[in-house]
Amino acid sequence: MWNSPYSHESFPVYAEEIDAGSEASPSTAMLSEVARTLNITIVGGSIPERSGDKLYNTCCVFDTDGKLKARHRKRNPLHDRSQTSNYGIFLMYNTLIHLFDIDIPGEITFQESKTLTAGETPTIVDTEVGRIGIGICHDIRFQELAILYAARGAHLICYPGAFNMTTGQLLWELCQRARAADNQLYVATCSPARDVASVYVAWGHSTLVGPFGEILATTEHDEAVIVSEIDYSQVELIRTNLPLQNQRRGDLYQLVDVQRLNC
């Protein structure tokens, strides 16, 4: 939520109508202009999006021509569906994009689902810098979504996010390295810098993780810019040397991509 304070009161005030043009969405217009001018692909963090009478936490991806290539909306885990059988777990992927609801007494309480509406689909996009899966913040906690992106051929998963001071120090790096190592791909995260005067204080520590779970580049909690190269040939090399995809026990469990199944 880089264009808005992270609070229920602020989301409706700062929300933009992305489909209504540059005047209604100056934030995405700026991202589009920068992508076009610099001839780069931008995964544009997230902003509060207004669509009709609903608000979403939305990440937009722009290509080198400044065109909107993809839009990812977070989804409420309260709406997730799963079913079990004697032979394992069938994971219903079209419902696994997650809004952030947390209640740790004495530390932090926040429920995105009070003001934000659930999105509907996973987001994977082909760009000039590879095939990228998109998640937002709390999405990183769910391995199932990362498995889906890997199965669809993602080289990289980008998670813009703002873990807080309670969950950040425990889980932020751990989740990044786990998603990368388990799925043998790159994971990139971008967090707001820490502002202790804010209502919601972010942990920071934007990071790039390699397909063995190794930290390739990271920041602390202050404002910073990092530049790091990604070698996608490492993904194929690691998957050849250690073929986890082929070692999964389809006789014991199955992964069902419901969105594709219903096409």
Side-chain angles (χ1 to χ4, degrees), residues 102-188:
I102 188 172
D103 184 11
I104 301 177
E107 296 193 45
I108 182 171
T109 298
F110 198 90
Q111 291 184 305
E112 282 189 335
S113 57
K114 282 186 176 182
T115 51
L116 300 175
T117 300
E120 294 298 332
T121 59
T123 304
I124 191 164
V125 55
D126 287 310
T127 75
E128 294 192 10
V129 289
R131 176 167 286 190
I132 302 175
I134 305 295
I136 298 175
C137 202
H138 194 50
D139 286 337
I140 201 172
R141 295 296 307 275
F142 297 89
Q143 161 71 340
E144 296 87 351
L145 183 62
I147 294 175
L148 180 147
Y149 287 155
R152 292 191 185 183
H155 307 101
L156 165 70
I157 305 178
C158 291
Y159 295 99
F163 271 40
N164 56 72
M165 297 296 290
T166 300
T167 60
Q169 59 182 326
L170 296 173
L171 299 171
W172 182 235
E173 180 181 309
L174 174 66
C175 287
Q176 294 176 66
R177 298 183 70 182
R179 299 294 82 81
D182 288 349
N183 296 287
Q184 299 175 304
L185 43 65
Y186 287 88
V187 165

Side-chain angles (χ1 to χ4, degrees), residues 87-89 244-255:
Y87 301 100
I89 299 175
L244 297 183
Q245 293 281 353
N246 297 334
Q247 295 171 356
R248 286 199 166 97
R249 291 290 302 274
D251 57 324
L252 299 180
Y253 48 80
Q254 298 180 39
L255 306 177

Side-chain angles (χ1 to χ4, degrees), residues 1 5-9 11-12 46-48 54-58 72-79 97-103 108-119 135-139 142 160-164 200:
M1 293 291 199
Y6 191 77
S7 69
H8 292 300
E9 297 76 19
F11 297 154
S46 75
I47 65 171
K54 297 179 180 180
L55 298 177
Y56 298 91
N57 186 352
T58 300
H72 178 79
R73 293 166 169 171
K74 293 180 71 179
R75 183 168 173 84
N76 192 337
L78 297 178
H79 298 162
I97 304 170
H98 318 85
L99 295 183
F100 177 60
D101 288 356
I102 188 172
D103 184 11
I108 182 171
T109 298
F110 198 90
Q111 291 184 305
E112 282 189 335
S113 57
K114 282 186 176 182
T115 51
L116 300 175
T117 300
I136 298 175
C137 202
H138 194 50
D139 286 337
F142 297 89
F163 271 40
N164 56 72
Y200 184 96

